[in-house]
Amino acid sequence: MIKKLLIVLPIFLLLFKINHAQKLSTFSEISIVTAGPGKELYEKFGHSAIRIKDPSLNLDVIYNYGIFDFDKPNFLLNFAQGKMYYLLAKYDFVYFFNSYMKDKRWLKQQVLNLTLQEKQDYYSYLENNALKQNATYLYDPFYNNCASKLKDISLEVLKENLILESNTIENNKTLRHLMNNEITWNTWGNFGINLIAGTILDKERNQVAYTYLPDYLYKTSKSAKIKRNGKTVNFVKREDILLNYEEVHYNNFIVSPIFIFSILLITVLLITFKDIKNNKRSKFLDFLIFLITGLIGLALSYLWIFSSHTTAPNNFNILWAFLPNIIIAFLLLRKSVKHWVRNYLKVIIVLLNIVLLLWIFDIQSFPITLIPILILLNIRYFYLLKNLLPSIK
């Protein structure tokens, strides 16, 4: 959906150039440009931008709301706090085109069916937005990104004359369902997003909310209408394929979540059977399980309580990634364990089963790749519940 562009200095100077929008000619065209997915996680959803072309003015520029910089000071800290600042950049379309040609990602444009005045309104809006003092915005991957921005701009310019809803697009899908269709289930990107996102993604939405995804912005624009002079006309006048590359899926099963987690499950099973046979507990294994799940719970709790991420609250992954496990991890290293730890184990086993109930009743969907982890935790927790008794004091 977004692409980090390292563009030479002269191009960036266009971003800060203060000028008033020129008068477009009747030969001008405004297009929504949609790009296919790329290799990196932040490219998996594809990308959207607006192109303005006017041969009579020798004008052909792209307005790209997907600019960010990993090397910017405090980037990771700001990300953790939910303060992801992105940038609108205006630059020559040829650089945008060449970037996608280099990456072998498909590119297509939808030329909008606009009057000259509507084109001018788009142009003026974008020119003002591209000024240095207006170019930075607070990014949200589901509600305020490169694709949803273009939908918002179209509604701002065309107002109630733009009809986005269509009977060709099904309503009442969840944003999580849509996201899972975009990113293959057995990938770390899919697992990570599902891990940190709470129940807000499980709420059924109207189709207009789907436009946070570039391909749904494309579908919505294709079926959209404009009310004009008592009639309705198509929002899109023409579609052009600019680059025609096949989508490439980058998957390696050996390093995939389901493979790694299944190996972990088998390992814990074998160690547990060995512990039962030898009547001996592997303390370091328990330490790792409780410490790791506790640290994950700490991160999820921080995102929920202290960050500004709109999708982080009400995340019931904290029921299996339970924050107090950090303390229990160190207690389980001891030869003798406090009596209340056994009651604690009963509580976290109940919490694990609550996760399954939340999943069954569609309160929150969890990543499929989490199943081996839930089985692993259940097995080890039940083992500890039955075998800690001799060491309890």
Side-chain angles (χ1 to χ4, degrees), residues 320-347:
W320 67 265
F322 200 46
L323 174 58
N325 278 6
I326 296 175
I327 298 172
I328 305 300
F330 292 94
L331 295 180
L332 290 175
L333 286 175
R334 299 177 179 178
K335 288 184 178 181
S336 58
V337 181
K338 297 291 185 180
H339 187 275
W340 60 264
V341 174
R342 197 165 189 270
N343 292 328
Y344 178 87
L345 287 168
K346 293 178 182 179
V347 170

Side-chain angles (χ1 to χ4, degrees), residues 158-169:
L158 299 174
K159 303 189 185 306
E160 67 277 1
N161 293 322
L162 180 60
I163 306 170
L164 291 178
E165 293 194 43
S166 167
N167 56 15
T168 64
I169 302 175

Side-chain angles (χ1 to χ4, degrees), residues 113-131:
N113 188 15
L114 305 173
T115 65
L116 182 57
Q117 183 57 54
E118 289 167 345
K119 294 176 188 178
Q120 192 65 46
D121 291 341
Y122 265 92
Y123 188 32
S124 298
Y125 184 99
L126 290 165
E127 282 291 282
N128 181 66
N129 224 193
L131 297 176

Side-chain angles (χ1 to χ4, degrees), residues 258 263 338 353:
I258 198 68
I263 293 296
K338 297 291 185 180
N353 286 281

Side-chain angles (χ1 to χ4, degrees), residues 8 15 20 22 117 182 188 205 251 326 343 345:
V8 292
L15 173 65
H20 296 288
Q22 299 169 281
Q117 183 57 54
E182 296 288 321
W188 291 106
R205 304 282 177 168
N251 293 318
I326 296 175
N343 292 328
L345 287 168

